[in-house]
Amino acid sequence: EAGVTQFPSHSVIEKGQTVTLRCDPISGHDNLYWYRRVMGKEIKFLLHFVKESKQDESGMPNNRFLAERTGGTYSTLKVQPAELEDSGVYFCASSQETLYEQYFGPGTRLTVT
Amino acid sequence: GQSLEQPSEVTAVEGAIVQINCTYQTSGFYGLSWYQQHDGGAPTFLSYNALDGLEETGRFSSFLSRSDSYGYLLLQELQMKDSASYFCAVRDSSYKLIFGSGTRLLVRP
């Protein structure tokens, strides 16, 4: 069974540019989560999808971040325009049920210069 | 606020036993999880405690005391490959994971 995959693995962009991160969850997992780890700090929750619906987006930093999960399969997280403080590693995770363990992808390392 | 506290770094010798503690303060509690992360890799699920007591999975065990808001991860027969960061995480009332800042474990020969 394939795990959670994320693309790209690394992205370097300039301040003000736009970047779109993609996450493909484990097949059949209705729950998809986005997390972020900034500068060696703790991993912080961004938002949670159940199928194509946003269940909880309380962790989204501001309106420069837009997450979508059309069709309830893969998800994208767009940052527009990117700021320096957006640099970090963005993780995606999925789970079969809400209370089941979450499986993480390898992350996308975003560097904003 | 919500917070989890764990030591920033632990060093141990190959073959030894090490315990990584975690105390938490969160709104709602649906269990304590432990994740392992090697540099540049994905956090990998290790264990989950929803009820008080000890859960054992091979060389790794995890303990939870809900009355003390405390848990720990116990690693036995340490191997060099166990060098990694270990995160405790609480599932809160909205089911998202709240992570600690991680404990970097260094296993020395």
Side-chain angles (χ1 to χ4, degrees), chain B:
Chain B
Q2 306 196 94
S3 66
L4 284 81
E5 298 290 331
Q6 55 181 127
S8 59
E9 198 171 288
V10 173
T11 301
V13 176
E14 194 175 15
I17 299 173
V18 71
Q19 178 173 313
I20 300 174
N21 298 319
C22 174
T23 57
Y24 59 87
Q25 183 176 16
T26 59
S27 58
F29 178 84
Y30 283 92
L32 181 70
S33 300
W34 288 91
Y35 284 81
Q36 177 193 62
Q37 186 187 24
H38 287 96
D39 285 345
T44 304
F45 173 80
L46 291 178
S47 69
Y48 172 69
N49 294 67
L51 303 175
D52 292 350
L54 190 68
E55 294 282 342
E56 297 181 73
T57 309
R59 295 188 297 114
F60 294 179
S61 303
S62 57
F63 172 82
L64 174 66
S65 168
R66 288 174 296 170
S67 61
D68 296 322
S69 297
Y70 163 77
Y72 65 72
L73 179 70
L74 191 74
L75 296 85
Q76 303 182 71
E77 301 172 20
L78 280 175
Q79 301 175 8
M80 299 297 291
K81 66 178 182 179
D82 296 329
S83 291
S85 291
Y86 292 83
F87 295 87
C88 58
V90 166
R91 196 186 303 272
D92 74 357
S93 55
S94 59
Y95 309 119
K96 64 180 178 286
L97 290 174
I98 309 296
F99 282 86
S101 54
T103 298
R104 180 172 285 275
L105 171 65
L106 176 61
V107 180
R108 291 182 169 167

Side-chain angles (χ1 to χ4, degrees), chain A residues 33 35 37 40-43 45 48 56 58 91 98-106, chain B residues 30 35 37 40-43 45 48 85 87 91 94-102:
Chain A
Y33 307 81
Y35 293 87
R37 190 178 189 198
K41 294 185 178 180
E42 69 270 23
I43 300 169
F45 167 82
H48 170 204
D56 180 356
S58 61
F91 291 103
T98 306
L99 287 180
Y100 286 19
E101 59 262 29
Q102 296 179 22
Y103 295 89
F104 280 73
Chain B
Y30 283 92
Y35 284 81
Q37 186 187 24
F45 173 80
Y48 172 69
S85 291
F87 295 87
R91 196 186 303 272
S94 59
Y95 309 119
K96 64 180 178 286
L97 290 174
I98 309 296
F99 282 86
S101 54

Side-chain angles (χ1 to χ4, degrees), chain A residues 3-65:
Chain A
V4 176
T5 58
Q6 293 186 245
F7 181 83
S9 57
H10 292 84
S11 180
V12 181
I13 61 172
E14 293 183 354
K15 176 181 172 181
Q17 289 185 322
T18 297
V19 64
T20 300
L21 314 181
R22 173 172 169 143
C23 167
D24 286 78
I26 293 172
S27 177
H29 282 196
D30 288 339
N31 293 270
L32 187 150
Y33 307 81
W34 283 97
Y35 293 87
R36 177 173 76 168
R37 190 178 189 198
V38 175
M39 286 297 291
K41 294 185 178 180
E42 69 270 23
I43 300 169
K44 283 198 169 181
F45 167 82
L46 295 178
L47 88 160
H48 170 204
F49 282 101
V50 178
K51 296 185 180 179
E52 67 273 14
S53 300
K54 292 176 184 175
Q55 183 78 9
D56 180 356
E57 51 184 332
S58 61
M60 295 288 264
N62 50 61
N63 59 10
R64 294 186 295 104
F65 289 74

